[in-house]
Amino acid sequence: MKKIFLIAVVSAAVFNATAQTKTKAKTMPVKAKTAASKPAAKPVTLKTKIDSASYAFGMAMGSNLKSGGLETINYELLSKALKDVFTGTKTLMSEQASQSAINNLFESLSRKKFEPAIKEGETFLAQNKTKAGVKTTASGLQYEVLTAGTGAQPKATDQVTVHYKGTLLNGFEFDSSYKREQPATFGLNQVIPGWTEGVQLMKEGSKYRFFIPYQLAYGARGMGNDIPPFSTLIFEVELIKVGAKEEGQ
């Protein structure tokens, strides 16, 4: 690339020199204009504590944004927003809109980074829904009945006690109440949407396998170190009890 650029520059120089030679006899010599030399930029110095801290704030902000996947930013608007807030000038957007803009940007960056995981999940679910025994709800949740129970059926506002294990599509097991040898009790409206919807389909004594798209799981954020963003999850859930956990259980 550098070689091509050099050739282009040299060619342009040759063309200009040739043109000047051909027209030299027809035109009066004109004194060449020299470009005004710009004064050298003064080096920035940190004279006060505010100077040092201000520059440090910029470094910290830049490092965080860059590590988050941002490759560039509108420096003028960033500076204007800082100045508007500090001077009490009316900002160009509300606090809610600003948070939404930040979330949308980083979600798009994350989505680009984890595009292979998104496609893997979509491909898996498209193939899985064609398998015998697998049912798909309107939301995209897929489930398979392993054992059909006959007991009480929960509502979204109920507490439930369950045994479960969760895995990624590659088979990695990120959680298991079986391994802890202790079932879990929680409000059904306090868990991921795929669980809230899926466990309501069950009756006490049932065991289901759920295939949960990322939109009904932990979405673009993921969860901790074990569940990456945009992960499709597989859960085996055994519904032990509907209602508050009894003492001693």
Side-chain angles (χ1 to χ4, degrees):
M1 187 67 183
K2 290 182 179 179
K3 186 175 180 181
I4 295 173
F5 177 76
L6 182 60
I7 291 172
V9 171
V10 173
S11 297
V14 171
F15 175 82
N16 289 336
T18 303
Q20 290 174 7
T21 302
K22 289 181 178 179
T23 58
K24 189 172 182 180
K26 298 180 182 180
T27 60
M28 294 294 292
V30 179
K31 186 177 180 180
K33 294 181 179 180
T34 58
S37 58
K38 294 182 180 179
K42 294 182 180 180
V44 177
T45 58
L46 308 176
K47 298 179 180 179
T48 67
K49 291 181 180 179
I50 289 293
D51 290 346
S52 298
S54 298
Y55 192 79
F57 284 137
M59 287 180 61
M61 187 184 303
S63 295
N64 288 333
L65 293 174
K66 193 171 182 179
S67 65
L70 200 61
E71 296 179 352
T72 187
I73 198 166
N74 189 318
Y75 305 110
E76 291 181 2
L77 287 176
L78 176 63
S79 178
K80 175 175 171 52
L82 288 169
K83 188 174 182 179
D84 286 350
V85 170
F86 273 94
T87 60
T89 304
K90 182 176 176 58
T91 55
L92 300 180
M93 60 174 63
S94 66
E95 188 173 338
Q96 182 178 1
S98 69
Q99 189 59 55
S100 178
I102 292 170
N103 291 340
N104 290 338
L105 174 61
F106 279 103
E107 182 170 341
S108 66
L109 292 172
S110 179
R111 189 178 186 89
K112 182 179 179 180
K113 178 179 179 181
F114 290 97
E115 189 65 29
I118 296 173
K119 289 185 177 180
E120 179 187 24
E122 291 173 346
T123 300
F124 171 84
L125 292 170
Q127 296 174 346
N128 191 62
K129 71 180 182 181
T130 65
K131 294 181 179 179
V134 175
K135 299 179 181 180
T136 305
T137 69
S139 70
L141 175 70
Q142 296 180 3
Y143 68 95
E144 180 182 5
V145 179
L146 304 179
T147 302
T150 57
Q153 191 167 358
K155 301 183 295 295
T157 53
D158 285 333
Q159 275 196 316
V160 293
T161 299
V162 300
H163 256 315
Y164 69 93
K165 72 173 182 177
T167 61
L168 303 179
L169 293 183
N170 62 9
F172 172 74
E173 186 176 287
F174 55 81
D175 195 10
S176 173
S177 65
Y178 293 105
K179 286 188 176 179
R180 292 192 295 272
E181 298 182 352
Q182 180 66 46
T185 300
F186 48 79
L188 200 49
N189 59 0
Q190 298 173 341
V191 290
I192 59 175
W195 269 65
T196 302
E197 178 185 357
V199 176
Q200 289 185 80
L201 302 172
M202 305 175 70
K203 294 182 178 181
E204 285 181 345
S206 296
K207 186 174 183 179
Y208 281 27
R209 182 178 290 122
F210 294 108
F211 309 92
I212 306 181
Y214 74 84
Q215 300 95 326
L216 302 177
Y218 295 102
R221 295 185 178 182
M223 176 57 68
N225 295 323
D226 291 337
I227 303 177
F230 301 103
S231 291
T232 295
L233 307 179
I234 301 174
F235 280 98
E236 287 187 11
V237 181
E238 180 183 354
L239 180 57
I240 299 172
K241 178 178 175 57
V242 177
K245 186 177 181 181
E246 296 178 1
E247 293 295 328
Q249 284 191 332

